[in-house]
Every structure is written in structure tokens, then in C-alpha cells.
Amino acid sequence: MANLGLFTGTKIVKSVNVSFRLPYYTHWGQRLLVCGSEPVLGSWDVKKGLLLSPAHQGEELIWCGSVAVPSEFSCEYSYYVVDDEKSVLRREMGKKRKLVLPEGINGGENVELHDLWQTGGDAIPFRSAFKDVIFRQSWGLNIERPLGIQNKLDMEDAVLVHFKICCPNVEEETSVYVIGSTAKLGQWKVHDGLKLNYAGDSVWQADAVMQKDDFPLKYPFEYCKYGKAGNFSLETGAHRDLSIDSSKVQPRYIFLSDGMMREMPWRGAGVAIPMFSVRSEADLGVGEFLDLKLLVDWAVESGFHLVQLLPINDTSVHGMWWDSYPYSSLSVFALHPLYLRVEALSENLPENIKKEIQEAREQLDGKDVDYEATLATKLSIAKKVFEQEKDLILNSRSFHKYFSENEEWLKPYAAFCFLRDFFETSDHSQWGRFSCFTEKKLEKLVSKDSLHYDIIRFHYYIQFHLHLQLSEAAEYARILKGDLPIGVDRNSVDTWVYPNLFRMNTSTGAPPDYFDKNGQNWGFPTYNWEEMSKDNYAWWRARLTQMAKYFTAYRIDHILGFFRIWELPEHAMTGLIGKFRPSIPLSKEELEREGIWDFDRLSLPYIQQEFVQEKFGASWTFIVSNFLNDYQKGRYEFKEDSNTEKKIASKLKMLAEKSMLLESEDKIRRDLFDLLKNIVLIRDPEDASKFYPRFNLEDTSSFQDLDDHSKNVLRRLYYDYYFHRQENLWRQNALKTLPALLNSSDMLACGEDLGLIPACVHPVMQELGLIGLRIQRMPSESDLEFGIPSQYSYMTVCAPSCHDCSTFRAWWEEDEERRCRYFKNLVGPDAIPSSQCVPDIAHFIIRQHVEAPSMWAIFPLQDLLALKEEYTTRPATEETINDPTNPKHYWRYRVHVTLESLLKDKELIATIKGLVRGSGRSHPSVQETDELGNQETIVLIPGKHQVTTGQEKISVGKQLNGVPRKETCVPQVS
């Protein structure tokens, strides 16, 4: 570009030319842009950023651009993918880049920045699970020099190359080097290479001054680690290349930002169990937060880094066992009183309360959780302790600190709980003048002068103690993985306080998938994303900030909901007749162009007389007289009081109470629902000229009775709607919402991406650094019946089962033909599987998963117990946590063995630990004692076995196939 100089008053100051260079492949209509903190780069206004120009260099597409800046210039900047209007299509993840020009640089000189696009995966080592736990070193790593070029370039015919690499996982007394083909870089000899200095934040850097005459247009190099003992590990993959464009003026300074050091990927393992399923000798009928310390002890001894839980928020909506469903939150911020250890409320419990606790412990120590009795007992005891200690606790400095940090959600929660109990319903539309939330009403409800203030304070007290107990467990655990539910209960604190954030006339669910062939209706209101975006998704960001107080990782439930949600009308009870939001519908004009014009025929229930007679038999006339009207000759339509699922259910209940039904109420309801669903198109309730194809429309008699032309057209439009036309819309929707979540905390994020997966989902997850989920019996590949763990991608969590399906022991034993197919596919055609899931089978299945390339292998505790025969005496079907086909499933499973017993079972621990170690996965360091009584430390060395006894170190590196590898590199996330 032309350099006209920069003017300061009347003096002309010669500028420095800064060039940006980034390799990146774009699609048609996409361009790259750099935007930064200074006006010359747009002051963070992307519309004013610097557009880059593309050029092919070998097999790469390089985007370049330049600006003139003063010699003292510094700024932050990031890269963006934009369209022709400079609208952002994609943005870099991770931290903003920093540019500081070398001190003393002369005007007129050229600086070239060689950058790599930052993906979400690059940020994973800086998530708290890795930064604060896995890669955290007990030894100090001091900053040797600040970030940026420190050397001065005095020679006219020289080039200064600034090398910069991110390497979060460095062992003690190990340095980072860059080696290459030139003498300055050691000619590939590590000990002669260029040693890098630590600059903080896991960044290592160094400068190399090279003569221009000796500087090639392209030369290879790579980074490596070099230990004090002489051991070293090179980067994996092909050499890096430093390329110079010979057609341009050669730069005097080259900044190489080479992203992450390429190493063997770090892999770890964990155990998953719902909080309510844990059993200990100290609990009161259900797992409690303080039990997590015992669970962590067992997990660490077994070689696990991580403990995964289901949601732990308060779900006390109905006041009965329905509230056992952990994904229907009363509050997305409040913790569930069910997990409180009442014995830990006070150090001075009266003897009568201690006796009551012991008696309750014996009464509630059942095979399963008695949700109602357990919660009632805990709250009853807690109220007695509260009366004794309320003033002491609530006037303490620690409580005041907690209250000041949480009052924004705590006061509405306490007020809601009071009103729920006062009106005997959580349906806030029934609360009279309190139905509509205002800050003024809230302050009156929680006023210290109110007669019910002690009730309000009791909820403060319970939440404070839950916070203390979970915080104690979380600090002990280090890596706890939480669960972020996709929805909230429509009768919740959040819908009361923030009604504009929810579409209350709709329900969320899921289309037919692995879990339920008829679809699911969760009953949650759908989100008003447009409204949420106005404050940059503050409600979501607050949720994640709250979770991060206790968790270092989290699972995003039904991550597809951030791309699109399955939306149902509020009057629906089942999950089939829905549509995706957002989505591009079929327009009336589009259908008419295809010769489709009878919209009532396609969008109203297609009810023929012979179909009613066949379905209801002798009672068909009763059905017609009570639920249907004549519509056309031989056809019916539903009566006004029966034209929705909720209306049908209500009317059936009334008829049943009058003993007028000739068959079971459930059967008649299912059959009437089938009639109601016998449609091909769903008319948009907000715009009658728009339509949505009914899911699995080819299964309906309404479709089957159409002419061939209409069938072909509708079949084609169906596949277009569900599998093609929405992809770009859904992708953009996710890229608006998900980054707000990911950037609101340092937690490691995983997404539950099971079910009907649009093509855009996995690329977006990869771009954002989101870890997916792989369940072997639910493969994402449409041509596979069973997933192949050895072929899973690195950015995944693999597991043989999860809470939404049967354990693999139950799955193994329930279907002989499927079991034989599985064994034939994964073991061999001549193998004959055992009918029972014996420990050898469990060992085989678990080994498949720990040896998978997935970053994490996380096992339900029930699946691990199958490794030992004595733990399989309980029927496998009783170990299922949830049946997704049953909307009123009772979530009450409890492990049948205590944590104390598991900690004593050294045989099971050794078996699990052997599987983890043998797979090359990282495992925590623990003290062990050999047969002679000598202690040895099993050191946390990801991807290899290293035993330290005194000063002696013996290292054995293995690949998954058992072949030793030459280098002893320390794997990390890449």
C-alpha cells in the first residue's frame, strides 16, 4: 500500500507498515477481515475493519492486508469471516490477540504478522478443568521475559523472526525449543536449537536474527520440549513452514504466532452418577453434596479425573414425586434442598434432633429414593435447627457476603417459595395480584417487617448451607462436571421474574429419535431468543457464572436446542406434531407452484368412517357421538371441545368419572390422539399461509391416500425441510447464542448431541471447541447400528450408556438377536456371546471405550459395577435412571452399595485402574504401597506410565495397540 506518512502538527512522521497474513479456506461469498481496538482497525466496529485479500500459495489460501501505523503503535485485534456487507459469519474464539511493535523500530520498516485462526479447541487448555487442575503444576514457572520482541535489529541486511507458541503442559525442569534447518535453529539438533522464554499464560517466545542473504523463501521448523535429563519430545505431524512472498518487499520483522504446540492429545476418564443415586453410611435416604468427597476418593483411586452429575437445582414445583425429574427446574440458580446434610447444619445439635436424624436414616435407607418422604424429613429437621441458630447464622459475616453476591436470584426464589406454599400451587398465574412480578412487590414480600419474614429467611438459610456444603465438596473434588438443562418449568421462578424471555404459549420437546419413536413433549416453554439477545443473553450468562462457582466442566443438555428447538403448541401432550423454531416453512405459494392446493385436506385430521370403525370396534358410535362431527361424506372432524390433546384428555377424564367408557381410558386416549395426528401438514398458528411437514408424514393414512404426484412432491419437500433448507439458518442461530455461554465462564463445555443431528451441528461444535457425546448404541453415522469407539474423534466424550437409556448390562441381556449382531460386528463372526453380561463382557466393553481416541471416557457407575459379579445380583433393569418414553418417570435409582464399601474393594479399584492405565489415559497421582510395604507415587503423566520411587524414574510409553513409541512426549489438549 502507499505510505503517505502520518502527520503530527507540521511534522511528518514516517509510519511503520504492518502486514497481516492468515491461511484460511473460505466459501463463496466469504471474506476475511481484521478488526481491533484502534481506529485504524475499526475500534472493534467490524464494519470499519480491514478487509484482507486472498492469494494462493501452494495448497494454501492466504489472506493478507496491511496498514500504516506509528512506531509506538500497540493494539488488540481479532479475525472475522464476513460476507459482502461485512456482516459477521464467523469469529475467532479465545483471547484477543495483542500487537506491540518492537521498541526503537524505525519508520518505513515492514512488520509481518503470521497468524493462525484460533478455534474453540485452542481455548480448551485454558478452561478451568485443565488450567487449574490437570495441567496445574506444584512447582513455580516464572516469567522470564514479557510478551513481545526484546532484541534490537541493528544490522541493515538482517531479519528478526519472533517465534511464539502456546504450551500449557510443561513438566518441571523442561524447556521449550524451536529447531529447524538453519544454523540459528540448530539444524534439527535439539540441544543446538533456539530456547524459548516463558512469557506467562502458557506462552513461550524467542527471537532469531537472520541474515537476509541466508534467509530462504520457505524453510521448515518445529517446536519441541527438552528436559534436563536429556529427554525430548518433538511435535507431532508435518513440519511447520515459514514462507516469505518473494513478490513483495521482504519484512524486517516477522511475528510468528504458531498457536498450540502439537502433541499427543491428552485423554482422561471419569465416572457419572446422579447426586440422588449416591449411597453412603452418612446420608439420609439420598445422596448428599458432602458424599461427593467419598466419591472423589474412590474415583481418584480408580484412575479417574472427573465426576459427572445430573442437574442439582431445586425442582420443587409440584410438591410430590414428580419433582424427582432433575431437568425441570423451579429455579436455575437455587440448589436442591434434597441434597442437604442436616447433620452438618450445626456443631451443637440437641440430642433429640440427633436421635431424630438417626431414626430417619434407618427408615429412609431403602432400595430406591423415597423423594417425598426424604425431602419432607430433611426440611422438618432443618426448620428445627433453623429456629435454634437462625440469628447466629444469618447475622454472620459469611452469610452477609453470600447474600450480597446472590441476592439478585435469592430474594425472588425465597418469595416464590413462600407464595407457592401460601397459594398451594406453583402456577403463578393463580396468585392474584402477585401473578405479575415487579421489584416493588418483591421488596414488600421479603421485607424484614413482614409477618412471614422468618419463612423467607428459612429459604435463605437452606440455600446458604447448600452452598457451603457443595463448595466444600467442589473444592475437594477439583473436577466436577455439572449439567445445564435446556429448559425450565413453566411454573418456575424464572418464568415469573422474566416472562418476556419465554414463549409461554408453546412447549419444547424432541422429535422422534433413539429415546422415543413418538417424540417427546417436555412441557417447558420455548425461549424468546430475540428478547434474550437484547442484553447479550444475560440470563444465560448468569446461569453459567453461578455454575462455575462449583463446577469446572459442564454438559449442555440437548445442545441442538441452541441451533433449533422442537416447538409444540401449549395444548399438546405428546411430542409428534411439532415444528422446528427457527425454521423456514413451506409457503402457500411454494406448494401451489408444485400443484398442492387442498390445504384443509392436508392440515386437518383425515378421519374416515372405516378407520374409526376399525380402530374403536364396537364402541365407534360412542366415539363419534362424543368427540366427532360429520365433515364430509364418510369423513369426520373433531368437535370444538375435543380438537386438541388436552381437551381430549380432559373430556375422557370426565367420561371416565361417569363410568361411560367401554374400554380403558389410556387406550381410547391413544387412539384419539392418533386420529388427531393423522395430518400431512401443520398450519402455522401465527400465519395461515405457512406450513410445516408433519414428522414421519409417510406413516399416516392421510398421506397414503394421496395421488402419486402429491406424494412425490410432499416427500421431496419433507426431506428438504428437515435435512437441507434450514442448515444455514440453524448454524447462524447457534453461532449467536453458544459463544455467549462459552465466554461467560472458564468451565470446559461438552454438548449432548444425540438424536436427529443436522449437518451443521458437528462443524459448529468443532469451531467453538465444544466436546460431543458418543454412545455406542446410538451412533451418529446413519449406516451403523453400533458405534465403533476406535473411530471416534478426539473432541468427544465416549460412554457405553447414559442416564437416558438402560445400562449396558440391561441392554446386553434384553435382546438376544441384537446382542449377537453386536458381538459379530465387534468381536468376530464365529464368536458366541454369553446371554448374561458377565464381568468379562463388561471388561471388553469398557476397554473399547478407554482405548478410544475420545478426550474423555466417562462411565456410569452402574456399568463399572458390572466388572465384578457380586455387584450384579440386583436385576439390571432396576439400575436404569430414566425411561424417556415415560413423561412421568420416577427418578429414584440408588446404588445398592455404599461408597465406604466401594473404597474397601481394592480388587474392583485395581481392575478399573488397570483399564485406565493400560489405555494410555492420564490418571491422578496417588500414594500406593507395594507388597514389601514401600510407598511409591504414581505420578500424573498423561498418556504414559511413570513410576517414581525416590529419585529413580522409569518411563514406559505405549500406544493404544501396545506398541512402544520412541518419544516420551507429554500429551496435552491440541
Side-chain angles (χ1 to χ4, degrees):
M1 63 176 288
N3 188 345
L4 302 179
L6 301 177
F7 291 84
T8 305
T10 59
K11 182 181 177 182
I12 298 178
V13 179
K14 204 169 185 183
S15 61
V16 175
N17 188 49
V18 175
S19 299
F20 299 89
R21 181 186 185 277
L22 184 82
Y24 192 94
Y25 284 101
T26 54
H27 296 290
W28 181 260
Q30 295 180 345
R31 298 189 66 180
L32 249 67
L33 175 148
V34 61
C35 185
S37 56
E38 294 298 309
V40 71
L41 292 178
S43 299
W44 294 123
D45 181 350
V46 175
K47 299 286 187 183
K48 298 177 181 178
L50 173 67
L51 278 172
L52 306 181
S53 301
H56 285 280
Q57 291 186 14
E59 297 181 353
E60 290 187 314
L61 182 64
I62 308 296
W63 291 83
C64 300
S66 59
V67 292
V69 300
S71 57
E72 300 84 12
F73 183 79
S74 66
C75 75
E76 293 183 328
Y77 68 99
S78 290
Y79 292 98
Y80 300 81
V81 178
V82 297
D83 59 18
D84 291 335
E85 304 297 322
K86 286 192 175 182
S87 297
V88 176
L89 303 176
R90 187 177 301 127
R91 65 188 70 216
E92 285 191 296
M93 297 296 290
K95 298 180 180 178
K96 293 180 172 63
R97 302 171 184 269
K98 293 182 180 179
L99 168 61
V100 179
L101 292 181
E103 186 177 346
I105 188 172
N106 297 319
E109 294 191 323
N110 296 294
V111 175
E112 197 165 274
L113 309 179
H114 289 219
D115 291 328
L116 297 175
W117 180 270
Q118 293 178 167
T119 68
D122 295 332
I124 284 179
F126 304 102
R127 297 295 182 182
S128 53
F130 287 97
K131 178 185 64 175
D132 298 334
V133 184
I134 295 171
F135 292 161
R136 184 180 180 182
Q137 306 291 358
S138 58
W139 52 279
L141 190 59
N142 298 321
I143 294 177
E144 297 170 296
R145 52 174 277 193
L147 194 65
I149 290 178
Q150 304 298 314
N151 299 58
K152 289 188 177 181
L153 192 57
D154 298 324
M155 296 176 290
E156 290 294 329
D157 58 346
V159 176
L160 189 148
V161 181
H162 178 72
F163 294 91
K164 186 174 70 173
I165 190 72
C166 184
C167 187
N169 189 21
V170 177
E171 295 180 61
E172 190 172 5
E173 298 184 334
T174 296
S175 300
V176 180
Y177 283 74
V178 58
I179 58 175
S181 56
T182 67
K184 286 283 186 180
L185 300 184
Q187 296 178 325
W188 299 113
K189 296 177 182 178
V190 175
H191 57 275
D192 291 333
L194 178 64
K195 182 180 178 182
L196 277 64
N197 304 113
Y198 185 61
D201 289 334
S202 300
V203 172
W204 299 75
Q205 63 177 9
D207 303 332
V209 178
M210 303 181 182
Q211 296 298 314
K212 281 189 177 181
D213 294 339
D214 299 329
F215 198 91
L217 296 180
K218 180 176 182 179
Y219 73 87
F221 68 96
E222 64 181 60
Y223 296 93
C224 70
K225 293 178 183 176
Y226 189 39
K228 187 176 181 180
N231 58 308
F232 66 91
S233 58
L234 303 176
E235 282 195 289
T236 59
H239 294 314
R240 299 173 186 262
D241 287 313
L242 172 57
S243 300
I244 302 297
D245 188 350
S246 60
S247 65
K248 297 181 179 179
V249 177
Q250 285 200 11
R252 288 269 282 164
Y253 296 88
I254 300 174
F255 286 70
L256 290 181
S257 295
D258 282 320
M260 302 296 299
M261 187 167 178
R262 301 192 304 250
E263 304 184 75
M264 290 292 291
W266 183 96
R267 297 180 306 133
V271 60
I273 188 72
M275 189 70 257
F276 58 81
S277 298
V278 171
R279 185 187 293 268
S280 76
E281 294 173 4
D283 70 45
L284 206 65
V286 70
E288 298 169 345
F289 288 147
L290 290 176
D291 289 329
L292 289 171
K293 297 170 76 172
L294 283 177
L295 179 59
V296 167
D297 287 342
W298 179 83
V300 168
E301 284 200 38
S302 300
F304 295 138
H305 275 297
L306 176 148
V307 170
Q308 176 173 320
L309 304 175
L310 293 188
I312 54 172
N313 295 109
D314 192 355
T315 58
S316 306
V317 175
H318 303 96
M320 58 180 295
W321 66 263
W322 289 359
D323 296 335
S324 67
Y325 178 36
Y327 288 90
S328 187
S329 306
L330 176 82
S331 165
V332 298
F333 300 100
L335 299 171
H336 205 309
L338 189 69
Y339 305 128
L340 181 72
R341 177 158 294 171
V342 291
E343 212 164 17
L345 290 176
S346 173
E347 297 178 353
N348 303 303
L349 290 177
E351 288 302 318
N352 63 317
I353 291 182
K354 290 181 180 178
K355 183 179 179 182
E356 184 179 357
I357 291 173
Q358 182 56 36
E359 290 174 351
R361 182 174 292 122
E362 294 170 3
Q363 293 171 1
L364 296 171
D365 188 26
K367 181 179 70 173
D368 299 308
V369 176
D370 186 335
Y371 180 90
E372 294 175 28
T374 301
L375 183 59
T377 299
K378 289 195 172 193
L379 290 177
S380 174
I381 294 172
K383 285 177 182 176
K384 295 172 184 176
V385 182
F386 169 73
E387 289 300 326
Q388 173 185 303
E389 298 207 340
K390 58 187 177 185
D391 292 329
L392 174 66
I393 298 299
L394 298 181
N395 289 323
S396 67
R397 184 179 301 174
S398 57
F399 172 77
H400 283 296
K401 181 176 185 295
Y402 167 79
F403 186 82
S404 66
E405 293 173 352
N406 295 274
E407 62 179 313
E408 188 173 347
W409 66 264
L410 186 58
K411 291 198 293 187
Y413 166 77
F416 187 99
C417 291
F418 165 71
L419 292 170
R420 172 200 61 196
D421 298 340
F422 181 83
F423 288 102
E424 298 182 338
T425 179
S426 291
D427 183 355
H428 39 80
S429 68
Q430 307 299 311
W431 290 354
R433 66 189 182 94
F434 293 109
S435 295
C436 182
F437 174 89
T438 66
E439 288 291 339
K440 185 177 179 180
K441 292 175 186 176
L442 173 65
E443 292 306 319
K444 188 171 263 188
L445 284 166
V446 301
S447 168
K448 294 180 180 179
D449 299 327
S450 65
L451 296 175
H452 56 263
Y453 186 55
D454 257 11
I455 299 176
I456 297 293
R457 291 209 298 169
F458 176 67
H459 294 295
Y460 294 164
Y461 173 83
I462 293 294
Q463 287 300 311
F464 174 58
H465 276 286
L466 286 165
H467 163 73
L468 293 178
Q469 293 181 15
L470 181 55
S471 297
E472 180 180 336
E475 179 63 27
Y476 188 83
R478 307 304 296 280
I479 300 188
L480 274 184
K481 182 181 177 184
D483 199 322
L484 182 74
I486 186 61
V488 300
D489 199 282
R490 64 177 57 252
N491 297 318
S492 66
V493 181
D494 301 279
T495 58
W496 181 51
V497 177
Y498 309 106
N500 58 321
L501 300 185
F502 304 91
R503 298 170 55 85
M504 298 299 289
N505 62 337
T506 62
S507 294
T508 59
D513 58 13
Y514 296 112
F515 302 122
D516 192 340
K517 301 304 181 185
N518 296 311
Q520 296 173 305
N521 184 345
W522 301 323
F524 309 138
T526 54
Y527 295 120
N528 185 343
W529 290 110
E530 294 80 10
E531 189 66 28
M532 288 180 164
S533 68
K534 292 178 181 178
D535 58 6
N536 192 26
Y537 311 98
W539 181 77
W540 282 102
R541 290 186 286 110
R543 288 182 70 178
L544 270 296
T545 301
Q546 186 72 9
M547 279 191 75
K549 294 176 180 178
Y550 314 112
F551 298 104
T552 48
Y554 66 106
R555 167 190 177 272
I556 302 175
D557 173 45
H558 193 67
I559 197 171
L560 301 185
F562 293 91
F563 292 79
R564 83 296 186 268
I565 199 72
W566 187 245
E567 184 177 81
L568 300 149
E570 191 276 332
H571 54 68
M573 295 178 65
T574 59
L576 191 62
I577 308 299
K579 63 182 178 67
F580 288 121
R581 179 179 287 272
S583 66
I584 303 169
L586 308 178
S587 68
K588 182 179 178 182
E589 294 76 17
E590 180 182 7
L591 290 163
E592 287 176 339
R593 285 196 302 269
E594 298 280 1
I596 304 296
W597 55 270
D598 193 348
F599 300 111
D600 285 345
R601 158 69 178 83
L602 298 172
S603 62
L604 295 176
Y606 182 65
I607 309 172
Q608 293 182 297
Q609 180 174 316
E610 57 266 30
F611 186 50
V612 178
Q613 290 172 332
E614 178 184 343
K615 204 166 191 66
F616 295 97
S619 62
W620 79 273
T621 55
F622 173 82
I623 295 297
V624 169
S625 63
N626 281 278
F627 294 92
L628 304 174
N629 288 329
D630 288 329
Y631 178 60
Q632 293 175 349
K633 185 177 181 181
R635 282 185 61 188
Y636 300 100
E637 66 178 358
F638 276 97
K639 295 178 182 292
E640 179 65 27
D641 66 356
S642 310
N643 61 3
T644 71
E645 289 180 340
K646 284 189 176 179
K647 288 180 180 179
I648 289 172
S650 177
K651 192 168 187 178
L652 276 174
K653 184 177 181 181
M654 178 195 69
L655 293 172
E657 289 171 352
K658 296 180 179 179
S659 302
M660 296 177 66
L661 300 181
L662 302 179
E663 293 182 281
S664 77
E665 183 180 348
D666 286 346
K667 182 183 183 305
I668 296 174
R669 185 193 307 111
R670 285 195 303 271
D671 290 343
L672 284 170
F673 283 7
D674 286 345
L675 290 183
L676 198 63
K677 298 172 187 174
N678 193 21
I679 59 176
V680 175
L681 298 177
I682 300 170
R683 193 185 293 266
D684 192 320
E686 299 172 5
D687 186 342
S689 66
K690 295 177 180 177
F691 299 87
Y692 305 88
R694 179 234 200 243
F695 199 90
N696 287 346
L697 56 78
E698 293 185 60
D699 295 343
T700 67
S701 63
S702 178
F703 178 87
Q704 292 159 8
D705 283 0
L706 293 172
D707 60 88
D708 288 343
H709 170 75
S710 297
K711 285 181 181 178
N712 290 333
V713 168
L714 290 166
R715 189 182 288 117
R716 174 165 48 81
L717 292 175
Y718 173 90
Y719 282 98
D720 179 59
Y721 174 84
Y722 281 100
F723 302 108
H724 297 293
R725 72 165 64 188
Q726 320 295 345
E727 291 293 327
N728 189 55
L729 173 65
W730 291 344
R731 183 184 185 284
Q732 291 183 21
N733 196 53
L735 289 174
K736 290 178 184 176
T737 56
L738 284 171
L741 271 72
L742 300 177
N743 294 332
S744 61
S745 80
D746 283 338
M747 291 185 291
L748 179 68
C750 307
E752 182 266 291
D753 53 346
L754 303 174
L756 185 70
I757 305 295
C760 62
V761 171
H762 289 152
V764 168
M765 291 181 67
Q766 182 178 4
E767 182 177 332
L768 298 180
L770 279 160
I771 303 166
L773 176 62
R774 298 294 176 266
I775 305 294
Q776 190 171 24
R777 72 188 78 166
M778 307 172 190
S780 55
E781 301 87 353
S782 59
D783 59 335
L784 293 179
E785 182 179 10
F786 311 109
I788 304 173
S790 63
Q791 296 179 7
Y792 292 161
S793 64
Y794 175 65
M795 290 290 289
T796 56
V797 172
C798 69
S801 69
C802 66
H803 67 275
D804 271 333
C805 61
S806 56
T807 62
F808 74 63
R809 185 162 72 96
W811 179 84
W812 180 270
E813 297 173 359
E814 68 190 9
D815 188 326
E816 181 180 0
E817 292 184 2
R818 183 183 62 199
R819 178 172 67 241
C820 290
R821 291 195 305 273
Y822 173 87
F823 217 61
K824 180 179 179 179
N825 287 342
L826 278 85
V827 179
D830 299 326
I832 301 175
S834 166
S835 61
Q836 299 297 308
C837 185
V838 295
D840 283 348
I841 297 295
H843 193 280
F844 169 76
I845 294 174
I846 290 174
R847 195 182 74 196
Q848 283 186 83
H849 288 78
V850 291
E851 292 183 349
S854 302
M855 181 191 295
W856 290 97
I858 300 178
F859 301 94
L861 182 57
Q862 307 96 295
D863 290 348
L864 295 168
L865 294 181
L867 287 166
K868 193 166 183 180
E869 189 171 0
E870 71 177 81
Y871 297 130
T872 62
T873 55
R874 184 175 186 174
T877 54
E878 294 183 1
E879 294 184 328
T880 299
I881 294 169
N882 177 40
D883 175 8
T885 65
N886 178 9
K888 293 300 181 185
H889 178 77
Y890 195 167
W891 298 60
R892 62 187 313 197
Y893 165 71
R894 291 190 80 191
V895 179
H896 57 291
V897 57
T898 66
L899 291 172
E900 290 86 352
S901 297
L902 287 177
L903 278 164
K904 294 174 184 176
D905 191 341
K906 301 304 180 184
E907 182 183 3
L908 177 64
I909 288 173
T911 299
I912 298 171
K913 189 187 303 178
L915 282 162
V916 175
R917 288 185 183 173
S919 70
R921 288 186 178 271
S922 168
H923 49 83
S925 60
V926 293
Q927 288 286 336
E928 293 191 349
T929 305
D930 63 20
E931 295 177 355
L932 300 177
N934 299 317
Q935 282 199 336
E936 61 181 16
T937 301
I938 308 301
V939 184
L940 171 63
I941 300 294
K944 65 180 180 182
H945 309 166
Q946 189 170 72
V947 180
T948 302
T949 307
Q951 298 298 315
E952 183 183 6
K953 291 186 179 181
I954 305 170
S955 180
V956 183
K958 289 188 177 181
Q959 292 181 336
L960 295 185
N961 60 8
V963 180
R965 59 173 184 258
K966 294 179 182 178
E967 70 275 13
T968 56
C969 61
V970 182
Q972 70 159 67
V973 176
S974 60

